[in-house]
Amino acid sequence: MRAEKRVTDELPDWQTYSSDEWPTLLIGNGLSINLWSGFAYDSLFSEASDQGDLAGPAESIFDELDTTNFETVLECLHHARIVLKALGDDVAEVEATYGEVRDALLSAVSAAHVDWNDFPVPTHTAIATSIAEHDNVFTTNYDLCVYWSLLQSDPSVNTKDYFWNPGHDFDPANTNATAGTTLIHYLHGALHLWQSDSTGIDGKWTNADGGNLTRVLRNYSATSDKRPLFVSEGNSASKVRTISRSAYLSFCLDRLRDDEQNTVVFGHSLSTQDEHIIEALLDGKRKKIAVALRPSSRADAIIATKSRIIEALPGHTILFFDSTTHPLGDRTLNIG
């Protein structure tokens, strides 16, 4: 019987694996934080508090849990609703607080966003060039950084996001792209994506029809037919329910589930709050999954993270590498 390989805190450079074929890339918030510190949860929490979007019970819950992580609070509220409902108690206040926290996150991402004019062209180019090395790119990020970088670098990189109809909307019957195209999938929506309440159609704002995309929330009102396409629930099951109500988001998750190619995971924690992402990665034949981790002085923390991810993805070959040695983790990309 073969002995199980011992998990260590070693994090090889990306160059150890970069010569292999990696057709698929999964991006998480670590990429955005490396670019702009305003995307960190503590910064978003401060932004939401400063704007007055978190007050009373909502702010108290953050304090009681000693966290600035919106998803942690949303998950807590989700569980509170389950308990109150089981006890036959009123859940209206919990649901209202849940909606307040969810909307505050969207508003904070928009308000804290790095400005287009502060985004250096070489940074755009570096991001776009790295992304274009893959066939399929999946991201759970809400911000505009990837979108902007691909837009700025076009046509030097060949990327598409499925919103190629004249009205920039998504058509499930029109998803075939030409060979050699890098396809972008926004798994949890994004600031620039919308859904029509009357038709259910999903689409995207552009500068032409949305003005300054970091202020795109101004395009919505109580009478607007469109609402943000934005998945911010605090647990995986709730996220899946929201995803199922969108043809575009459902399509993207199905694409990840059907993808059987070697995959790089960059800036994504693969936590239980994104269990649906883990389950999608688990589907299909055995493949290599290279996971970027930030180096730390705490060996036990790295070992614990490695062990958790290995346990979550049985059947696949899991590799780990130092995120700062990958082009997307280059510290020179940091804008501020």
Side-chain angles (χ1 to χ4, degrees):
M1 184 174 179
R2 188 177 65 180
E4 186 175 343
K5 185 177 180 181
R6 186 173 69 91
V7 178
T8 72
D9 65 331
E10 181 185 6
L11 291 175
D13 287 355
W14 167 242
Q15 286 70 27
T16 305
Y17 310 118
S18 61
S19 60
D20 295 343
E21 293 293 324
W22 299 100
T24 303
L25 172 67
L26 170 62
I27 299 170
N29 197 45
L31 167 63
S32 301
I33 294 173
N34 184 51
L35 294 172
W36 184 247
S37 59
F39 291 133
Y41 266 132
D42 55 350
S43 298
L44 294 177
F45 174 76
S46 295
E47 186 69 45
S49 296
D50 292 345
Q51 292 186 107
D53 291 334
L54 292 174
E59 194 161 28
S60 295
I61 295 169
F62 278 92
D63 290 341
E64 288 293 328
L65 295 176
D66 191 25
T67 186
T68 57
N69 189 320
F70 284 78
E71 288 197 347
T72 298
V73 172
L74 288 168
E75 184 173 29
C76 177
L77 287 165
H78 169 73
H79 290 152
R81 182 185 182 280
I82 292 174
V83 172
L84 289 174
K85 192 172 183 180
L87 294 173
D89 293 337
D90 184 51
V91 298
E93 188 171 0
V94 169
E95 290 180 340
T97 305
Y98 188 101
E100 179 185 332
V101 174
R102 180 198 59 214
D103 294 345
L105 174 58
L106 176 59
S107 179
V109 172
S110 177
H113 208 290
V114 58
D115 191 83
W116 168 271
N117 294 322
D118 294 330
F119 211 124
V121 172
T123 302
H124 281 307
T125 302
I127 294 170
T129 301
S130 182
I131 284 175
E133 292 177 356
H134 305 273
D135 299 332
N136 288 288
V137 176
F138 299 87
T139 175
T140 56
N141 293 352
Y142 308 129
D143 60 74
L144 299 166
C145 294
V146 168
Y147 175 64
W148 276 353
S149 293
L150 298 175
L151 189 68
Q152 173 70 26
S153 299
D154 184 64
S156 61
V157 294
N158 183 17
T159 63
K160 298 290 182 184
D161 59 8
Y162 299 100
F163 296 103
W164 47 57
N165 284 339
H168 303 296
D169 57 63
F170 172 69
D171 180 1
N174 181 17
T175 60
N176 293 324
T178 57
T181 302
T182 296
L183 293 166
I184 313 298
H185 309 75
Y186 297 98
L187 291 166
H188 288 169
L191 277 178
H192 65 301
L193 303 185
W194 53 259
Q195 184 174 66
S196 167
D197 284 327
S198 61
T199 66
I201 291 174
D202 303 312
K204 74 174 180 181
W205 300 107
T206 67
N207 285 338
D209 55 19
N212 185 340
L213 290 180
T214 61
R215 300 292 178 262
V216 75
L217 296 187
R218 298 174 183 174
N219 291 358
Y220 305 106
S221 68
T223 58
S224 173
D225 177 60
K226 294 183 174 68
R227 57 184 173 82
L229 189 59
F230 189 81
V231 179
S232 59
E233 282 67 24
N235 65 91
S236 183
S238 296
K239 287 178 180 176
V240 169
R241 283 194 291 272
T242 298
I243 288 169
S244 69
R245 294 193 286 270
S246 162
Y248 171 74
L249 297 181
S250 297
F251 169 80
C252 289
L253 185 57
D254 285 342
R255 285 275 298 180
L256 180 61
R257 188 177 293 115
D258 294 340
D259 191 284
E260 297 184 335
Q261 303 301 311
N262 291 341
T263 301
V264 175
V265 178
F266 187 90
H268 202 294
S269 64
L270 299 175
S271 67
T272 55
Q273 287 144 340
D274 284 327
E275 186 68 32
H276 57 295
I277 303 296
I278 296 171
E279 291 175 354
L281 290 172
L282 275 172
D283 279 1
K285 65 182 182 181
R286 181 183 178 92
K287 61 189 175 188
K288 290 189 295 186
I289 301 177
V291 182
L293 296 181
R294 285 191 63 84
S296 169
S297 58
R298 287 187 54 199
D300 60 330
I302 294 176
I303 291 171
T305 300
K306 280 184 167 187
S307 299
R308 174 180 61 81
I309 293 173
I310 291 170
E311 184 177 357
L313 295 169
H316 296 304
T317 300
I318 310 301
L319 309 169
F320 297 95
F321 64 94
D322 181 339
S323 64
T324 64
T325 63
H326 189 280
L328 294 177
D330 191 329
R331 290 188 176 92
T332 63
L333 297 181
N334 185 262
I335 301 168

